Amino acid sequence: MATLGRDLVVAICREALEAERRRILAGRAYAGDEALWADIAARLRAVVQPSLRPVINASGVILQTNLGRAPLSEATLDAMRRAGEGYSNLEYDLDAGERGSRYDHAEALLRRLTGAEAGLLVNNNAGAVLLALSALAQGREVIISRGQLVEIGGGFRIPEVMAQSGVRLVEVGTTNRTYTRDYQAAIGEETAALMRVHASNFRVIGFAHQPPLSELVALAHERGLLLIDDLGSGTLLDTAPYGLPHEPTVQESVATGADLVTFSGDKLLGGPQAGIIVGRADLIAQLRRHPLTRALRVDKTTIAGIQANLLHYVRGEATREIPIWRMMAATADEIAARAHALIAALGPVGARCTVVPGQAMIGGGSLPEESLPTALIAVAVDAPSDAARALRRGDPAVVARVQDDRLLLDLRTVLPREEPALATRLQEVLETP
Ligand SMILES: *Cc1c(COP(=O)(O)O)cnc(C)c1O
């Protein structure tokens, strides 16, 4: 435990006394000296501990924005640590001994992996979209389908981002059906680009239509316009071999002729938070020079992490090394075997647990409504919500699921090295009456 300065301790005691005074003024009886000391101790502990701490994700949602999206590979963590612990050639050309660019580091990898002429990293994909629109379409019109005016979550709404970029949004089609001819009819003097946005977190089923990207690219190029494709998650690997629908890959967008493609570093790519823009070299050069790029600049640890993560794809080891792809690749039988082993390690309270079939989700604005068959640990408890709360509040915190009045844990999203700690927490909660 740290030795705390007198001023801090005095301030914390005053805060605790003030809180107690307010409780008494509100009509409650004095909590007692012991409770007051416990409150002071808890406040002191809280103040010297970071509020951001590890959580064991037993929810079965692989990419959960609230839980920090993608856990990182060992190599990625090593690279980020090495970039952070000393100096680096971040903006320094070691051959020439002169100034270099931080944006050069990931570019060759992005070119190789996506087939694009050029690439650029920014803070996140929201920033990537904001930058692309601000730099290339400010003061002009961008045409987008009404079925793609999405809200991603966390307040990111495509129409608002377009407004913020100084772009006039031209909506075409209807919520469920938009045709290439709708875009065609909306093109005018002021049009700068056609934009496609991945409908990340919802799906229109039934009587629905969106034109294929190839038609939009052909139309845009015929009329001398840009085609900007916001892929959202963006993946470099096909999701079909995992029993999931095919999620459009970045390479496909580039090959189809999209002028710029934007996607996230920490969704299906499985790396640290970043926004990635790939596409035409002249456009990327224009983005690099834009003042917003400076404001959306990525840190050296991010560049190191993105690079290390991309290298997994170059080496053909992504599904082995990147945690989220390992989670996606695991079969229900493998998860069930881990679940049985964990239950066996629980001792007597293990008798209250069974393994049942269930569904895991991808999350992270990709493949909505799609799930992977998985095996869940179902725990018999009288009050599942109370047990879930107790799991969340302990150390390490555990996030489980409550469904149909049952407490459910999915080991698909639990890293194998977290299993002993998870077993301990489960025991603790189940042994507490
Ligand atoms: C997730 C998402 C974004 C935002 O990406 P961040 O990396 O979270 O900023 C933008 N567009 C689409 C389509 C998305 O799915």
Side-chain angles (χ1 to χ4, degrees):
M1 188 74 191
T3 309
L4 303 179
R6 182 178 182 280
D7 290 352
L8 177 63
V9 175
V10 169
I12 294 288
C13 290
R14 289 212 172 107
E15 281 170 30
L17 284 171
E18 182 53 35
E20 184 57 25
R21 208 171 279 132
R22 260 184 270 119
R23 274 193 295 269
I24 293 169
L25 282 174
R28 284 206 253 153
Y30 174 50
D33 291 358
E34 211 166 300
L36 191 55
W37 282 119
D39 183 31
I40 289 170
R43 283 168 187 267
L44 281 168
R45 264 196 302 277
V47 88
V48 293
Q49 269 169 8
S51 70
L52 180 67
R53 55 201 181 98
V55 166
I56 296 178
N57 176 12
S59 72
V61 182
I62 295 176
L63 290 167
Q64 164 61 272
T65 301
N66 303 153
L67 300 182
R69 292 195 184 154
L72 304 175
S73 77
E74 291 300 329
T76 300
L77 291 168
D78 279 352
M80 293 177 84
R81 183 181 166 81
R82 270 184 280 119
E85 72 190 350
Y87 298 99
S88 63
N89 63 339
L90 179 65
E91 291 186 350
Y92 189 64
D93 181 336
L94 290 171
D95 281 335
E98 56 191 42
R99 195 193 158 100
S101 167
R102 72 176 60 216
Y103 298 111
D104 289 342
H105 295 286
E107 188 160 41
L109 286 171
L110 289 172
R111 279 203 310 259
R112 179 173 304 282
L113 288 165
T114 68
E117 290 173 8
L120 180 64
L121 292 186
V122 291
N123 181 62
N124 59 5
N125 188 29
V129 174
L130 180 70
L131 172 63
L133 292 173
S134 302
L136 304 173
Q138 199 157 66
R140 301 179 64 198
E141 292 175 352
V142 171
I143 305 174
I144 185 169
S145 160
R146 287 200 169 88
Q148 296 174 1
L149 293 173
V150 301
E151 173 174 321
I152 310 300
F156 181 86
R157 291 173 155 194
I158 288 290
E160 288 169 11
V161 175
M162 294 181 106
Q164 192 63 43
S165 319
V167 164
R168 283 195 305 284
L169 163 68
V170 177
E171 303 173 25
V172 295
T174 58
T175 306
N176 56 330
R177 288 178 87 86
T178 304
Y179 304 92
T180 302
R181 62 172 184 272
D182 296 325
Y183 292 84
Q184 196 163 11
I187 294 174
E189 291 283 293
E190 291 295 301
T191 311
L194 312 187
M195 185 165 183
R196 183 180 79 155
V197 178
H198 189 287
S200 305
N201 43 15
F202 73 101
R203 205 173 65 196
V204 179
I205 56 166
F207 192 58
H209 180 79
Q210 290 291 340
L213 183 63
S214 56
E215 283 182 24
L216 296 182
V217 165
L219 174 62
H221 292 173
E222 195 183 288
R223 306 292 292 267
L225 305 172
L226 299 177
L227 188 296
I228 300 173
D229 192 17
D230 176 16
L231 276 183
S233 176
T235 175
L236 295 171
L237 296 178
D238 187 4
T239 46
Y242 301 92
L244 295 165
H246 176 72
E247 172 81 3
T249 66
V250 180
Q251 303 90 300
E252 285 163 4
S253 277
V254 171
T256 306
D259 298 291
L260 283 182
V261 183
T262 69
F263 52 104
S264 293
D266 55 351
K267 290 182 178 174
L268 281 174
L269 221 62
Q273 178 188 304
I276 303 178
I277 314 174
V278 298
R280 259 168 55 189
D282 59 326
L283 301 176
I284 296 284
Q286 230 175 305
L287 299 190
R288 272 204 195 201
R289 288 193 298 270
H290 195 274
L292 250 189
T293 303
R294 178 62 174 81
L296 296 168
R297 181 166 100 166
V298 275
D299 176 55
K300 61 191 176 219
T301 54
T302 301
I303 295 172
I306 288 284
Q307 225 179 7
N309 191 60
L310 290 175
L311 279 168
H312 288 313
Y313 291 93
V314 173
R315 296 194 197 110
E317 62 189 24
T319 53
R320 203 171 65 237
E321 297 294 332
I322 299 176
I324 61 147
W325 285 98
R326 277 209 303 264
M327 290 172 184
M328 292 214 286
T331 64
D333 285 346
E334 286 161 1
I335 307 290
R338 286 171 61 193
H340 284 295
L342 190 127
I343 292 171
L346 288 179
V349 292
R352 290 159 64 186
C353 302
T354 50
V355 178
V356 300
Q359 300 296 320
M361 304 281 288
I362 308 299
S366 44
L367 301 163
E369 300 301 306
E370 295 300 336
S371 55
L372 292 164
T374 198
L376 304 169
I377 299 178
V379 189
V381 278
D382 293 335
S385 300
D386 292 350
R389 188 181 320 113
L391 282 172
R392 284 199 308 274
R393 286 188 166 175
D395 184 28
V398 174
V399 175
R401 254 200 267 171
V402 175
Q403 211 176 311
D404 304 329
D405 234 15
R406 287 189 306 178
L407 180 69
L408 301 170
L409 295 102
D410 190 343
L411 294 188
R412 183 181 292 276
T413 48
V414 174
L415 302 169
R417 64 168 167 76
E418 294 171 331
E419 282 175 11
L422 174 58
T424 306
R425 288 299 328 284
L426 254 184
Q427 254 172 333
E428 211 176 272
V429 169
L430 294 180
E431 281 165 5
T432 309

